[in-house]
Amino acid sequence: MHAVDCLDKLRKWHEHPSVLLMSYPCFLSLMREQSKHEYWRYMGGVLRESPGLLILDEGHNPRSSHSMLRRFLMEVKIELRILLSGTLFQNSFDEYFNTLSLARPRFISEVLRELDPLYGVKNRKGYRRKDTKRCKEILARKFFVDKIGRRIHSKYDEDRKKGLNKLKQLTKGFVDVYEGDGSDCLPGLQAYALLLKPTPAQDKAMLKLLEYDCGTRYSLEYELRITLVSIHPWLLTSLECLDKFFNDDERKELAGQRHDITRGSKVRFVVNLMQKCVHKKEKVLIFCHNIAPMRYLMEIFKNMFNWAEGEEMLILHGDQLVFQRTRMIDKFEDPGGNAQVLLASIGCCGEGISLTAASRVVLLDSEWNPSKIKQAVGRAFRQGQEKIVYVYQLLTSGTVEEKKHSKTAWKDWVSRMIFVGNNAKNSSHAKAENIDDEVLREIVEEDESDLFHLIMKDEKLMDRKKNETTAVFHMKGTF
């Protein structure tokens, strides 16, 4: 019946000039070129041959060189394409090239014509007769990264300027940047990156983890363990492989730290913040990738404030059904409700979700991708927000989290250089000259345990959200 429904929609699409809307997963499922059923192969052929215009929303998503979705989109035989993206430069110039060539397939030939000194030479090495198109793309990507990406990476201003000028020359005429309207009357945004000192208990646990993690630094498993211990050492007990790192006595010691919030610097900050917000009757939004820290914080709030899950504290995670998430969001947004805090994973909060009841946002985890941070902030700082939004990104000094923050700031700097120009400043480690946030200032002044290593004010994020940009790619002279 699903196949019949799809065939019926494709028939109606051809009968009259019309628009066919579909999700990326749906498109991927219909492009079944290897299917044993002829009707699936037929529908894939229709999608490759028939479109007169291809519009890709969130077009940066299929950016990997190994993405099946990107490969199928490249097979659609249409030059008229519009690609929309609010977070264009994500991780690397490899991915940036893939996004540009997805929006403009002939960009591959344009890069080779401009950057390859042997372009047009017949029978040159590196091309295979049966796979010329694929080899051209690989070669163009290599030239793009080597002659543009590496120059922009350079520590020398002159090299960066040359790389940026060459990039603008290649993309001129099909990349448009639209600045958001800054007169939307939003009350304001203040964003801080807080570099917290690890407690002695955290230092001890991290040293044990490092003894067994030599050679596996920055793997997903390693980052998970560091993330958990950076929030609170007791969270390591949620790992199944705990006995690999700690003996029986050490595991008992970790288990005994469960109710001692002073053993975790991030937990201590969150508790201090919640005490202030309860007094001021402000709602708080806490983002975390993993369920264990969210459950642990809810346990602490229950003991400290006598709160109940589903009433004063709400949780949003991927194991919930859609209607359950919707119900939690409605409860949190209800101005007359009891909800004080919502703990959520970023993945559960899609682009359309508004959480404007929160005036304070806490990011428990560090991120490699700056767009994830912007997405989290954008859930609260959006149309309908009536209060100043305060954002706290929590990082543990001396760990991979500090490195991730530096890398994320660098990616954001490169993205701003591409669109703003070479005069964009990299102030990723700039110490906050003054703290305009009254609550944060009170926490710092009352801190007797020397919790903070460095407080950085994220001016870039504040300016970016006031004047949000959307990159639009289109064929020159078409629209």
Side-chain angles (χ1 to χ4, degrees), residues 13 20 50-55 76 78-82 478-479:
W13 182 45
L20 179 64
S50 297
L53 171 65
L54 180 64
I55 301 177
V76 177
I78 177 64
E79 284 287 307
L80 302 180
R81 298 173 178 227
I82 299 176
T478 304
F479 305 97

Side-chain angles (χ1 to χ4, degrees), residues 66-314:
H66 306 291
S67 168
M68 291 293 291
L69 174 60
R70 179 179 177 275
R71 182 169 75 83
F72 288 145
L73 287 170
M74 291 292 288
E75 290 178 2
V76 177
K77 296 179 180 179
I78 177 64
E79 284 287 307
L80 302 180
R81 298 173 178 227
I82 299 176
L83 187 149
L84 304 169
S85 173
T87 52
L88 182 60
F89 185 89
Q90 294 268 321
N91 291 301
S92 66
F93 279 92
D94 294 76
E95 294 182 352
Y96 188 41
F97 170 85
N98 291 340
T99 302
L100 292 171
S101 57
L102 177 60
R104 184 181 176 96
R106 69 168 183 248
F107 182 70
I108 295 170
S109 297
E110 292 170 349
V111 169
L112 289 174
R113 186 181 302 113
E114 183 67 29
L115 302 180
D116 184 2
L118 297 178
Y119 179 77
V121 176
K122 293 183 179 180
N123 301 321
R124 67 169 294 175
K125 294 181 179 180
Y127 288 104
R128 293 181 297 174
R129 292 182 179 178
K130 294 182 179 179
D131 200 15
T132 304
K133 186 176 180 180
R134 175 67 174 165
C135 290
K136 283 178 65 177
E137 181 179 339
I138 293 173
L139 192 62
R141 186 185 299 111
K142 183 179 184 302
F143 277 110
F144 185 84
V145 173
D146 289 345
K147 296 194 174 184
I148 293 179
R150 288 185 179 177
R151 280 184 174 178
I152 296 177
H153 282 198
S154 174
K155 61 181 180 180
Y156 301 109
D157 289 340
E158 190 61 30
D159 286 343
R160 283 204 301 268
K161 186 176 181 180
K162 289 180 180 178
L164 288 166
N165 288 339
K166 182 61 71 174
L167 177 62
K168 289 179 180 178
Q169 178 186 337
L170 281 168
T171 58
K172 182 180 180 181
F174 81 97
V175 177
D176 294 326
V177 180
Y178 294 91
E179 296 288 345
D181 184 5
S183 61
D184 52 12
C185 298
L186 287 177
L189 173 69
Q190 291 190 29
Y192 296 89
L194 308 178
L195 204 56
L196 307 177
K197 295 180 180 178
T199 65
Q202 288 174 311
D203 271 331
K204 183 179 179 181
M206 286 180 189
L207 286 173
K208 290 293 292 184
L209 293 175
L210 288 173
E211 290 178 11
Y212 294 91
D213 276 316
C214 295
T216 60
R217 303 292 174 81
Y218 313 134
S219 67
L220 293 176
E221 294 82 2
Y222 172 76
E223 288 188 27
L224 171 61
R225 292 191 284 269
I226 295 300
T227 296
L228 294 178
V229 74
S230 296
I231 297 172
H232 195 282
W234 177 82
L235 290 170
L236 289 173
T237 60
S238 64
L239 297 174
E240 295 181 358
C241 59
L242 187 64
D243 55 351
K244 175 183 175 182
F245 306 98
F246 301 93
N247 58 37
D248 290 341
D249 292 337
E250 290 167 336
R251 291 199 297 272
K252 288 179 182 178
E253 183 181 357
L254 285 174
Q257 298 173 4
R258 179 170 187 167
H259 302 293
D260 188 353
I261 61 175
T262 63
R263 300 297 182 99
S265 54
K266 289 188 181 181
V267 168
R268 198 163 66 200
F269 173 82
V270 171
V271 169
N272 290 339
L273 178 67
M274 289 304 305
Q275 289 174 330
K276 301 286 184 183
C277 292
V278 168
H279 179 70
K280 292 179 174 289
K281 297 182 180 180
E282 293 181 340
K283 294 188 177 185
V284 179
L285 175 60
I286 301 177
F287 282 109
C288 184
H289 285 300
N290 307 294
I291 296 180
M294 291 192 280
R295 289 292 181 190
Y296 179 63
L297 286 173
M298 292 179 74
E299 180 182 328
I300 292 173
F301 298 153
K302 179 181 178 181
N303 295 334
M304 290 193 65
F305 307 114
N306 197 28
W307 286 349
E309 181 178 353
E311 294 296 329
E312 293 86 359
M313 48 186 183
L314 307 172

Side-chain angles (χ1 to χ4, degrees), residues 190-193 427 430-432 434 436 455-459 462:
Q190 291 190 29
Y192 296 89
S427 56
K431 182 179 179 181
N434 53 71
D436 299 323
I455 297 176
M456 296 169 281
K457 199 169 186 178
D458 198 339
E459 302 287 355
M462 294 159 62

Side-chain angles (χ1 to χ4, degrees), residues 8-31:
D8 183 54
K9 285 184 171 64
L10 287 175
R11 177 185 60 80
K12 292 177 179 178
W13 182 45
H14 277 78
E15 284 182 351
H16 306 283
S18 54
V19 178
L20 179 64
L21 299 170
M22 66 173 62
S23 64
Y24 286 127
C26 180
F27 174 81
L28 193 59
S29 68
L30 291 179
M31 299 290 282

